Amino acid sequence: MILSGFLRKAAQPVLAPLIAVIAAVLVTSVVVTIAGASVSDFWSVMTTAPKGRNWVNIINQSSMIFLAALAAAIGFRMNLFNIGVEGQYTIASYAAALVAGYAFFPGKLNVVVAVLVAMVVGALWAGIAGLLKVTRGVSEVISTIMLNAIAGTLVGYLLSNHGEQYGQGRRTTPIPDSSQFTGWTFFGEHDGAVWSLALIAVVAGFGISFLINRTRFGFDLRATGQNEEAAVASGVQVKRMVVISMLLSGGIAGLIWMPALFGGADYYGPPFQHQLGFTGIAVALLGRNRPLGIFFGAVLFAWLSEQANPLGLVAGISPSIVQITQGVVVLAVVIAYEVVRRWSTAQEQRTLRAVLDSTPPQHEQKEVTA
Amino acid sequence: MRRVSKIAAVACIASLALTGCGKNDDTKGSDKTSTSSADLCKDASGDGPKVGLAYDVGGRGDQSFNDSAYAGLKKAVDELGATCTEGEATDGEAESARETRLRDMADAGMNPIIGVGFAYSEAVNAVAPDYTDINFGVIDGFDPDADANDNVAYLGFAENEGSFLVGVAAAMKTQSDHIGFVGGVHNDLIKKFEAGYVAGAEAVNPDITVDVKYIEESDLAGFGDPAGGKEAATAEFDNGADVVYHASGASGSGVFEAAVDAGDGHWAIGVDSDQYLTAPAEQQSHILTSMLKRVDVATFDMIQSIADGKPLVSYQTYDLKVDGVGYSTSGGFVDDIKSDIDGYADKIKSGEIKVPTAP
């Protein structure tokens, strides 16, 4: 009895991801075989112990993926499907790089201002979708997809027309040396540095976790997500919540690229890393929208992408194959959670029935006394 | 909450699956090259230069830019006894991933290491100073800072000159005096193709209408998006154009599909490689010509320079004069106007015609 209760409690957070990872390993192995490559080569490359510079890249990438997933998760927690993280961080990154490049303020103050600009621009861009939803009833799914396309095109236009010439492309003015915030070199000189602003991810993780679990706002947000009617009945202003959540989600999205900008990217231009917004959605799902789960998901995704790099060199397999692994992990997690949830609900019902069946007299007594 | 997760999961998987589909489509036609090439580096065992070739997004099998670099590598393996390793960029990868790819090759003792595509410029600039005894080459590359690297060659092309020639072909073949252009990404490099193409067309017919469309404003995914290429080209065909030139890497297979769908009398012009040779049969009858950007020549030159002990460094330009760019005649669709096109080519070589580099 105690054991099965424990099993039930442990089942969802442990069993489901475990099933998902095993499924992903199996499916990826099958795909590798179909592609005509060696399965053992593939997994030996993927599980090789990372070298110094690989660790640095995994940590740096994890921080950005974590922020992206956190931004998506805030919306998901209250049933808001913000798939506009991509557009929000694109336009926010451009704005921040532009402001940082102008260097209106000296040294590190410039960094603070640029980060604030990124948050505000990201929040406003997401806020458009929030406002459209509460005033015109436009589904945030549609509006954020549209806003992604608009953000990409707008930034490209501004860059083409106002950016500075840079080889075959255009870029914003690089940030001054005094505003660089490179980070810590844990390994060799040439292995790169862990970005200082990767710490933003840690701060944001704890901050959002506190906000959602320990505050009135967080309670309202969760309540709206779980049962909107009940939330309205208990006095939650849902429209206000929608707008605030979108602003918050967009604000976090604005932070995504900040560690990279001050950690060595120096400007917004052709090397800008796209697609993090979509990766974030996948990782938010993988981590069940909880900061701790997202953390593990972000590390897993960063690990897979980084370790995939030598696949072509060593095993003759296209590194794109890990995108299949990543996709299968997400799909399998969602399915596994649903299966485990049904299983534990059935267990609960069985236990309840057993308890009720074993104590029928109480029931009769009650009727007599009444 | 659960509803959202389900929708989100489906959307995620769909987007992954759809990009997968796009990739599958464009490798179909090149099965011949990709199966034989899969073994090239495995089987190569000569004692020539050890080449590290890092492809751009789209990778080998794009029937265009990357495949052209591969052709140069193959020639080096056959003629110089080169051995090789290959790496490939993925969509939306980190800048650090490019650096890691180059460092892995350098650590494995490759020399030269060639980055295929301007996107490697920053990464090579970061890596090259740490490996002074290795030579690097960047196709379409440039030096992003003021410190010159004396072990890096930037292999550039006069794409505007080659594009001028296919612009001439387009203007002479069009029945409607209306042609089109599809670019992968709206950057200065692809604008160079557009500028040459428009100039060539206008040299033949000053009143010609040229529709210009770009798949992406700044996201490099525009070079690996066949669906986007098809959409852009279809719009131009619908608008009355009957010849469409693409400079969009692997997205070009979509442009060819659009030409097939538009029916007889509608042409597409390929880019970088002779795309007639790698296209499926139903598309071949719609590929008028291809602008040849001899990435293979540049790649081979770079490798040969190492074999000869006289490594290429600094900026190298491959233009019409050195056959660095040109046009293809496979299919025989431009045979009747070949002398006209060659006439323009001679004028460019002699300097009589100056082809603009920006629209």
Side-chain angles (χ1 to χ4, degrees):
Chain A
M1 194 74 172
I2 295 167
L3 187 73
S4 83
F6 172 75
L7 206 66
R8 255 203 330 268
K9 268 197 177 145
Q12 281 215 346
V14 177
L15 201 58
L18 204 67
I19 295 173
V21 169
I22 293 170
V25 167
L26 290 177
V27 172
T28 312
S29 300
V30 170
V31 173
V32 171
T33 315
I34 293 172
S38 151
V39 176
S40 61
D41 277 2
F42 175 78
W43 289 111
S44 78
V45 172
M46 295 307 291
T47 53
T48 311
K51 283 176 285 188
R53 65 166 175 262
N54 303 113
W55 278 119
V56 170
N57 292 342
I58 290 172
I59 295 169
N60 287 341
Q61 288 295 310
S62 297
S63 72
M64 295 201 290
I65 297 174
F66 178 84
L67 285 167
L70 199 63
I74 294 165
F76 291 175
R77 284 300 286 270
M78 69 165 281
N79 254 336
L80 266 182
F81 192 20
N82 174 17
I83 37 179
V85 176
E86 180 74 20
Q88 289 144 24
Y89 97 94
T90 302
I91 198 156
S93 302
Y94 172 74
L98 195 68
V99 169
Y102 280 125
F104 296 119
F105 300 92
K108 300 290 183 277
L109 189 60
N110 196 20
V111 179
V112 177
V113 172
V115 169
L116 287 177
V117 166
M119 290 187 77
V120 170
V121 172
L124 289 179
W125 199 254
I128 297 173
L131 274 183
L132 283 174
K133 186 177 172 75
V134 297
T135 57
R136 312 301 316 159
V138 180
S139 160
E140 76 282 6
V141 176
I142 307 298
S143 58
T144 49
I145 290 178
M146 302 292 183
L147 283 165
N148 280 346
I150 296 171
T153 311
L154 184 64
V155 168
Y157 171 82
L158 290 172
L159 212 54
S160 303
N161 290 282
H162 303 289
E164 66 178 44
Q165 181 78 30
Y166 166 71
Q168 306 277 17
R170 299 289 173 113
R171 65 173 178 184
T172 61
T173 312
I175 58 174
D177 287 348
S178 63
S179 299
Q180 276 164 357
F181 220 155
T182 332
W184 305 280
T185 317
F186 292 130
F187 304 97
E189 191 192 342
H190 301 312
D191 290 340
V194 173
W195 299 326
S196 326
L197 292 189
L199 283 178
I200 288 184
V202 180
V203 175
F206 282 109
I208 295 297
S209 182
F210 178 80
L211 186 71
I212 286 182
N213 296 316
R214 295 273 182 273
T215 63
R216 163 76 197 274
F217 171 81
F219 178 80
D220 286 356
L221 186 137
R222 281 179 289 135
T224 316
Q226 276 161 10
N227 189 334
E228 194 174 318
E229 283 84 5
V232 171
S234 66
V236 176
Q237 288 179 287
V238 173
K239 284 189 173 180
R240 200 169 141 261
M241 291 296 296
V242 167
V243 175
I244 295 177
S245 312
M246 283 306 279
L247 290 176
L248 194 59
S249 180
I252 299 288
L255 291 173
I256 295 172
W257 193 63
M258 291 303 102
L261 174 61
F262 294 103
D266 289 353
Y267 55 84
Y268 184 103
F272 178 74
Q273 190 178 355
H274 291 273
Q275 314 259 335
L276 281 169
F278 296 120
T279 310
I281 292 175
V283 172
L285 287 172
L286 185 60
R288 303 298 294 170
N289 302 325
R290 305 299 190 276
L292 189 65
I294 290 173
F295 166 76
F296 286 116
V299 173
L300 177 67
F301 268 49
W303 174 287
L304 288 172
S305 299
E306 178 66 19
Q307 294 290 86
N309 212 343
L311 275 179
L313 266 58
V314 180
I317 304 171
S318 167
S320 305
I321 210 155
V322 301
Q323 289 173 347
I324 296 175
T325 316
Q326 293 172 335
V328 173
V329 172
V330 174
L331 190 61
V333 156
V334 174
I335 295 172
Y337 261 97
E338 187 63 20
V339 170
V340 172
R341 193 189 62 81
R342 286 188 188 173
W343 172 76
S344 54
T345 314
Q347 281 279 314
E348 254 168 53
Q349 283 170 346
R350 211 167 300 144
T351 320
L352 197 64
R353 207 174 300 129
V355 172
L356 290 177
D357 287 350
S358 64
T359 53
Q362 271 183 359
H363 192 59
E364 281 171 9
Q365 251 180 353
K366 241 184 199 167
E367 262 186 2
V368 174
T369 47
Chain B
M1 184 53 212
R2 274 170 46 218
R3 182 185 66 91
V4 171
S5 322
K6 278 178 205 156
I7 300 173
V10 169
C12 275
I13 304 306
S15 68
L16 287 167
L18 290 177
T19 37
C21 293
K23 290 236 166 82
N24 285 347
D25 280 351
D26 59 40
T27 47
K28 224 176 269 168
S30 64
D31 271 352
K32 286 167 290 185
T33 51
S34 50
T35 44
S36 62
S37 65
D39 304 323
L40 176 74
C41 286
K42 236 178 250 174
D43 297 344
S45 57
D47 51 3
K50 294 199 255 176
V51 185
L53 194 61
Y55 296 106
D56 205 346
V57 172
R60 206 176 50 205
D62 69 347
Q63 306 175 26
S64 176
F65 193 69
N66 292 300
D67 273 352
S68 186
Y70 168 75
L73 176 65
K74 190 168 188 313
K75 191 175 170 206
V77 168
D78 294 341
E79 294 180 14
L80 305 174
T83 54
C84 51
T85 55
E86 298 166 289
E88 181 188 327
T90 52
D91 239 6
E93 71 176 5
E95 181 62 19
S96 63
R98 293 182 192 275
E99 271 182 41
T100 301
R101 190 167 305 123
L102 299 174
R103 282 185 197 275
D104 283 345
M105 288 177 174
D107 289 344
M110 298 297 132
N111 186 19
I113 296 171
I114 302 172
V116 184
F118 66 91
Y120 279 100
S121 300
E122 283 278 354
V124 165
N125 194 53
V127 173
D130 296 340
Y131 299 91
T132 46
D133 51 347
I134 292 176
N135 281 87
F136 292 83
V138 194
I139 307 285
D140 289 340
F142 62 97
D143 192 349
D145 59 22
D147 304 331
N149 297 306
D150 51 14
N151 59 337
V152 182
Y154 305 99
L155 310 164
F157 294 84
E159 295 92 349
N160 50 334
E161 296 182 358
S163 299
F164 186 97
L165 300 183
V166 296
V168 169
M172 296 185 81
K173 282 286 176 183
T174 178
Q175 302 293 318
S176 56
D177 287 342
H178 190 158
I179 59 176
F181 173 83
V182 173
V185 179
H186 198 179
N187 61 22
D188 290 7
L189 173 61
I190 305 302
K191 281 191 216 165
K192 213 166 146 189
F193 289 77
E194 180 200 333
Y197 178 66
V198 173
E202 285 175 350
V204 175
N205 175 3
D207 300 324
I208 200 162
T209 311
V210 187
D211 286 347
V212 175
K213 278 189 185 297
Y214 284 89
I215 300 170
E216 289 284 348
E217 266 304 310
S218 61
D219 188 344
L220 298 183
F223 293 123
D225 180 8
K230 184 169 183 179
E231 198 182 298
T234 303
E236 291 179 350
F237 284 127
D238 287 351
N239 196 31
D242 56 0
V243 185
V244 172
Y245 170 43
H246 89 87
S248 61
S251 309
S253 64
V255 175
F256 297 148
E257 278 173 33
V260 173
D261 291 351
D264 284 343
H266 292 84
W267 298 98
I269 298 177
V271 77
D272 298 342
S273 305
D274 183 352
Q275 296 198 288
Y276 178 88
L277 300 177
T278 47
E282 81 268 17
Q283 290 178 4
Q284 283 182 329
S285 55
H286 290 271
I287 299 178
L288 183 63
T289 173
S290 297
M291 195 287 274
L292 301 178
K293 172 168 165 173
R294 303 298 300 272
V295 175
D296 54 335
V297 172
T299 306
F300 180 78
D301 266 12
M302 181 73 205
I303 300 169
Q304 192 174 35
S305 76
I306 298 296
D308 294 347
K310 284 177 281 190
L312 287 179
V313 288
S314 186
Y315 286 90
Q316 307 286 334
T317 304
Y318 292 84
D319 60 10
L320 212 48
K321 261 183 232 159
V322 297
D323 278 333
V325 291
Y327 68 101
S328 69
T329 53
S330 304
F333 305 123
V334 291
D335 287 353
D336 51 335
I337 53 172
K338 195 171 181 310
S339 59
D340 296 293
I341 302 175
D342 290 342
Y344 281 103
D346 291 338
K347 282 184 191 168
I348 295 171
K349 284 181 201 167
S350 70
E352 192 182 330
I353 295 179
K354 289 258 184 284
V355 185
T357 54

